[in-house]
């Protein structure tokens, strides 16, 4: 078989091991593995199955369509929660597929109740409070009203309030005082709901960073995403290896062209790189249409012809160039953009630092033109 132009190898055994570690770190709490955005770019279904194999009893997605895709693929064992809903979403399909739904406002409770009437079975709701992130979630001032709306629908047999939850703003800065304030706000919201009569199955707050650094945020369920894929949510404090995690994705390509050029040769659009001496250039067939940040121009790290090198010149739509010096190289040789790092290749975190972003963005932006090849299943 001809090796592909480029591929993202996804080591699902690493996903399974990462979830097993997170489960251990979660103590008595359960694990909801977040598989939104196509499993952080790694592939929804293989990663979801690997996470369940590692002990995740729950899967979480942002979009309802992602949650429905899990059920349609036969993942019926784990509980599934979708949290980024809008009034146009197919709530009835969610109820039929046994997908738990988040509600940050009374309209979502009403949509869930309508879906329950339509399907003849109650909707399972997780009421979300904005404990301070200022994104989704019900403002504390409106929380009692949301709880009341949900309890009224529950009394009619239309919904079950199974979860109370919130999301942290500063979990990646473990000692930040905002986390303490959010914990207080969350506990207060739970108390309001429980005093009103809610008996939740699960209260949940922690993402990857909080799962690993703040046991006081664990409650009944933790919601790690990034760490499931083996990347560090606290890169300034700990590498994946130091956290016991294994990066699951290796992004690699094959050199499409290798050629000698003289000194002083401009390279790629606008000649942002010029050869210092006679040298060998290698053409890497990945570009910004594949998710390679254009900001990696003259900055993105790669392992090519046995050494770490930097992208030479402008990253184009489909390709970029590396300067291989006098090292031997041939068309078809592998170039590794990032991986776990143990073959000397850069990591997704190295790319994040090189272009001024976070590793989340590096892995999720790998485009659909790059095949995901599952290994370790
Ligand atoms: C994405 C997301 C998570 C997972 O966050 P990580 O930092 O990747 O662990 C958890 N909860 C919610 C609500 C999210 O949107």
């Amino acid at each position: 078989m001809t090796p592909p132009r480029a591929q993202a190898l996804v080591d699902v055994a690493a996903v399974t091991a990462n979830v097993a570690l997170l489960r251990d770190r979660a103590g008595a709490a359960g694990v909801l593995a977040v598989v939104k955005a196509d499993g952080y770019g790694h592939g929804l279904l293989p990663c979801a199955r690997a996470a369940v194999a590692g002990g995740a009893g729950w899967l979480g997605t942002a979009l309802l369509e992602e949650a429905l895709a899990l059920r349609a693929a036969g993942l019926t064992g784990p509980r599934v929660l979708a949290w980024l809903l809008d009034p146009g979403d197919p709530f009835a399909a969610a109820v039929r597929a046994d997908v738990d739904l988040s509600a940050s406002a009374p309209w979502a409770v009403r949509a869930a109740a309508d879906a329950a009437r339509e399907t003849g079975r109650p909707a399972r709701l997780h009421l979300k409070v904005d404990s301070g992130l200022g994104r989704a979630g019900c403002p504390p001032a409106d929380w009692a009203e949301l709880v009341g709306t949900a309890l009224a629908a529950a009394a009619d047999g239309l919904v079950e309030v199974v979860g109370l939850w919130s999301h942290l703003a500063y979990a990646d800065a473990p000692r930040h005082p905002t986390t303490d304030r959010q914990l207080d706000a969350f506990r207060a919201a739970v108390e309001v709901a429980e005093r009103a009569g809610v008996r939740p199955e699960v209260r949940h707050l922690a993402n990857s960073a909080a799962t690993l650094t703040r046991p006081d945020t664990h409650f009944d369920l933790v919601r790690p995403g990034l760490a499931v894929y083996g990347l560090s949510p606290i890169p300034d404090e700990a590498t994946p290896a130091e956290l016991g995690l294994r990066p699951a994705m290796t992004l690699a390509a094959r050199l499409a062209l290798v050629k000698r050029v003289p000194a002083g040769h401009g390279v790629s659009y606008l000649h942002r790189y010029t050869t210092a001496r006679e040298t060998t250039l290698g053409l890497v067939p990945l570009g910004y249409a594949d998710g390679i940040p254009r900001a990696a121009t003259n900055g993105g790290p790669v392992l090519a012809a046995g050494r770490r090198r930097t992208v030479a010149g402008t990253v184009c739509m489909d390709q970029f160039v590396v300067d291989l010096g006098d090292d031997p190289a041939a068309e078809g040789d592998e170039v590794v953009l990032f991986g776990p790092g143990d073959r000397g290749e850069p990591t997704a975190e190295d790319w994040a630092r090189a272009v001024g972003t976070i590793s989340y963005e590096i892995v999720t932006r790998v485009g659909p033109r790059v095949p995901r090849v599952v290994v370790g299943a």
Side-chain angles (χ1 to χ4, degrees):
M1 201 182 81
T2 323
R5 160 187 83 99
Q7 61 185 6
L9 281 182
V10 176
D11 177 3
V12 291
V15 171
T16 297
N18 294 332
V19 171
L21 175 126
L22 290 160
R23 206 183 150 193
D24 185 56
R25 301 298 295 272
V31 172
L32 177 152
V34 179
V35 294
K36 64 190 180 188
D38 198 27
Y40 285 46
H42 294 64
L44 175 71
L45 297 175
C47 291
R49 292 194 184 101
V52 171
W58 293 69
L59 297 170
T61 67
L63 306 187
L64 181 51
E65 65 200 58
E66 300 168 319
L68 293 173
L70 293 170
R71 290 296 195 225
L75 274 148
T76 51
R79 295 241 60 94
V80 174
L81 169 64
W83 53 73
L84 189 58
L85 306 163
D86 73 71
D89 271 318
F91 279 69
V95 173
R96 258 185 225 107
D98 193 28
V99 170
D100 290 17
L101 300 169
S102 175
S104 293
W107 70 260
V109 177
R110 288 193 288 272
D114 289 346
R117 278 192 205 91
E118 190 182 327
T119 58
R121 57 186 284 182
R124 290 172 46 94
L125 291 185
H126 296 237
L127 303 184
K128 185 172 195 182
V129 64
D130 183 355
S131 59
L133 175 59
R135 198 177 69 177
C138 176
D142 303 335
W143 179 244
E145 185 202 339
L146 175 63
V147 169
T149 306
L151 284 173
D156 292 338
L158 297 172
V159 309
E160 294 168 359
V161 181
V162 297
L164 298 173
W165 75 300
S166 191
H167 193 43
L168 294 169
Y170 273 95
D172 50 351
R175 286 163 299 281
H176 199 281
T178 298
T179 299
D180 300 315
R181 285 205 293 276
Q182 285 197 256
L183 253 177
D184 290 343
F186 182 58
R187 287 203 186 96
V190 167
E191 203 181 309
V192 166
E194 291 184 340
R195 256 195 275 116
V198 173
R199 297 285 170 267
E201 285 172 25
V202 285
R203 301 158 297 162
H204 48 107
L205 179 63
N207 61 359
S208 294
T211 299
L212 293 166
T213 66
R214 293 283 306 240
D216 53 344
T217 63
H218 287 177
F219 294 93
D220 307 307
L221 185 67
V222 296
R223 300 190 312 271
L226 191 74
V228 166
Y229 308 96
L231 299 172
S232 173
I234 46 168
D236 294 337
E237 304 200 9
T239 63
E242 286 163 354
L243 294 169
L245 299 169
R246 172 97 183 144
M249 186 190 288
T250 298
L251 180 63
R254 304 222 164 252
L255 288 174
L257 182 68
V258 173
K259 63 186 180 186
R260 287 296 279 181
V261 297
H265 202 301
V267 173
S268 194
Y269 290 131
L270 305 183
H271 290 174
R272 290 189 174 105
Y273 182 85
T274 304
T275 56
R277 55 189 67 79
E278 184 187 318
T279 191
T280 300
L281 298 180
L283 185 64
V284 181
L286 281 171
Y288 58 79
D290 302 296
I292 310 307
R294 192 165 176 275
T297 293
N298 282 328
V302 301
L303 176 65
R307 284 182 214 232
R308 286 279 286 264
R309 327 209 177 238
T310 301
V311 171
T314 300
V315 174
C316 311
M317 186 181 295
D318 314 295
Q319 50 196 305
F320 65 84
V321 176
V322 285
D323 186 340
L324 302 174
D326 294 327
D327 291 324
E331 286 85 358
D333 285 359
E334 188 182 52
V335 175
V336 183
L337 283 77
F338 61 82
D342 43 14
R343 286 193 290 158
E345 77 277 20
T347 63
E349 182 60 35
D350 292 331
W351 272 81
R353 284 179 200 277
V355 304
T357 184
I358 54 178
S359 62
Y360 294 78
E361 189 178 356
I362 296 299
V363 288
T364 55
R365 64 182 294 152
V366 175
R369 221 161 58 159
V370 180
R372 272 55 170 183
V373 177
V374 172
V375 295

